[in-house]
Amino acid sequence: MSPSNSPLYRFGIIADPQYAAIPPHAAMDRYYANSLAKVAEAIEVFNSEELSFVMTLGDIIDRSFKSFDDFLPVYRKLRHEALFLLGNHDFSVSAGHLSEVTARLGMPSPYYSFSRHGWRFVVLDGNEISTFAPLEGHPHRVLAAQMLAELQARGAPNAHRWNGALSDQQFAWLGDEISSAAAAGEKVIVLNHYPVHPPSAHDMWDRDRIVALLASHDNVVAYLNGHNHVGNYGKAGACHFVNFKGVVDTESENTFAIVELHPDRLEIRGFGREESRTPVY
């Protein structure tokens, strides 16, 4: 196998299981309880591959903190490292549990980064400025209400309570991570629950500044997300924006992916409803 055909390494992707032990919402084609079997099926496939890790792109649960207790044990069968980031539905818990979600998922912090094999993975918390994730009375919740009202007044398509924004501190941290990765000769993949490009109703409230930042750095090659369950794809600058489809949708069809990193491209192998793509950089 030539160097260009041999991947540097691989990782798995799961988006939006939204598990809950509740009846389906047939009108929305969402089968919450069925995600248990679907993720178990994905893990069987992942276990047959050599992967560095498996990232679940948020919305692990649909509601209720107890859903984590029912659902997370399925990941114990995964022979690879299981990594998580935070989605909006992960905060559909009682107020007393809001501050416990990050720790329950075994995350080092709400947003974080790590380096593997010359790549920097930057994991964002798109719920930081939102009307649901911060504790009641927190300045971020107050700011979220103001941002949402301004977007609604402008008729912005993404002016929805189920979206959010980065704080200025996290946005500055993202820029610093990209710059330090460039200095270290690392390519960057950004992971978040929310899309930012192409424009859609599911986008981060501060999508414009995020896209502008990512598109201005040649070492940022991909932005991977969920949240918009139908999936999407776009490109800005050198960055490929890939929106993975939601596991919770449909009664029995699964959707997940394996991403292979090559020196010149990503090979995204889609399973079930997920599309296969080859973004070149």
Side-chain angles (χ1 to χ4, degrees):
M1 194 176 275
S2 69
S4 63
N5 289 326
S6 178
L8 302 173
Y9 71 107
R10 307 176 177 91
F11 59 92
I13 289 285
I14 297 171
D16 298 85
Q18 271 186 236
Y19 168 78
I22 58 174
H25 192 313
M28 295 181 69
D29 204 19
R30 292 186 180 172
Y31 293 78
Y32 309 99
N34 295 15
S35 289
L36 202 64
K38 289 181 182 179
V39 171
E41 179 189 4
I43 285 173
E44 282 190 24
V45 173
F46 292 148
N47 284 345
S48 69
E49 302 267 352
E50 292 304 318
L51 305 177
S52 179
F53 60 87
V54 171
M55 173 64 78
T56 302
L57 295 169
D59 280 7
I60 291 91
I61 62 166
D62 182 75
R63 67 194 72 178
S64 175
F65 197 73
K66 187 182 181 303
S67 294
F68 289 120
D69 297 336
D70 297 338
F71 192 62
L72 288 178
V74 75
Y75 285 89
R76 293 176 190 161
K77 296 182 179 179
L78 181 67
R79 70 182 184 93
H80 311 295
E81 184 179 12
L83 298 176
F84 298 95
L85 56 77
L86 301 168
N88 54 306
H89 279 277
D90 297 318
F91 293 96
S92 296
V93 299
S94 64
H97 286 302
L98 284 174
S99 63
E100 301 172 11
V101 173
T102 301
R104 185 67 187 88
L105 291 171
M107 297 169 55
S109 58
Y111 55 93
Y112 60 99
S113 70
F114 58 95
S115 294
R116 303 266 170 99
H117 310 285
W119 290 75
R120 179 84 54 101
F121 292 86
V122 182
V123 182
L124 301 180
D125 173 19
N127 315 278
E128 190 179 21
I129 307 294
S130 68
T131 62
F132 49 82
L135 299 180
E136 282 288 349
H138 193 285
H140 285 172
R141 190 177 280 239
V142 176
L143 177 58
Q146 295 171 348
M147 291 182 70
L148 179 57
E150 290 170 4
L151 288 166
Q152 289 173 335
R154 297 206 310 264
N158 61 335
H160 297 287
R161 295 181 66 86
W162 29 263
N163 294 331
L166 305 182
S167 68
D168 289 343
Q169 180 180 357
Q170 185 180 172
F171 181 74
W173 171 83
L174 170 60
D176 290 343
E177 285 289 323
I178 294 169
S179 296
S180 64
E186 296 173 328
K187 290 184 174 70
V188 173
I189 292 179
V190 179
L191 304 114
N192 189 14
H193 179 61
Y194 301 89
V196 292
H197 183 75
S200 82
H202 296 80
D203 287 350
M204 297 279 293
W205 293 337
D206 56 342
R207 63 172 303 279
D208 291 341
R209 69 172 181 172
I210 296 172
V211 174
L213 174 64
L214 303 184
S216 67
H217 290 82
D218 291 340
N219 65 319
V220 181
V221 300
Y223 178 102
L224 311 180
N225 67 273
H227 191 52
N228 183 1
H229 293 196
V230 300
N232 209 347
Y233 170 80
K235 188 180 182 186
C239 185
H240 297 270
F241 296 81
V242 184
N243 188 149
F244 292 90
K245 295 179 180 178
V247 169
V248 70
D249 295 56
T250 79
E251 184 173 8
S252 58
E253 291 181 89
N254 212 341
T255 181
F256 56 94
I258 290 176
V259 181
E260 298 184 345
L261 301 183
H262 294 260
D264 60 343
R265 70 193 186 282
L266 302 180
E267 289 281 355
I268 299 175
R269 284 194 282 144
F271 294 80
R273 292 183 294 112
E274 189 55 65
E275 297 176 44
S276 294
R277 308 177 190 271
T278 306
V280 176
Y281 40 83

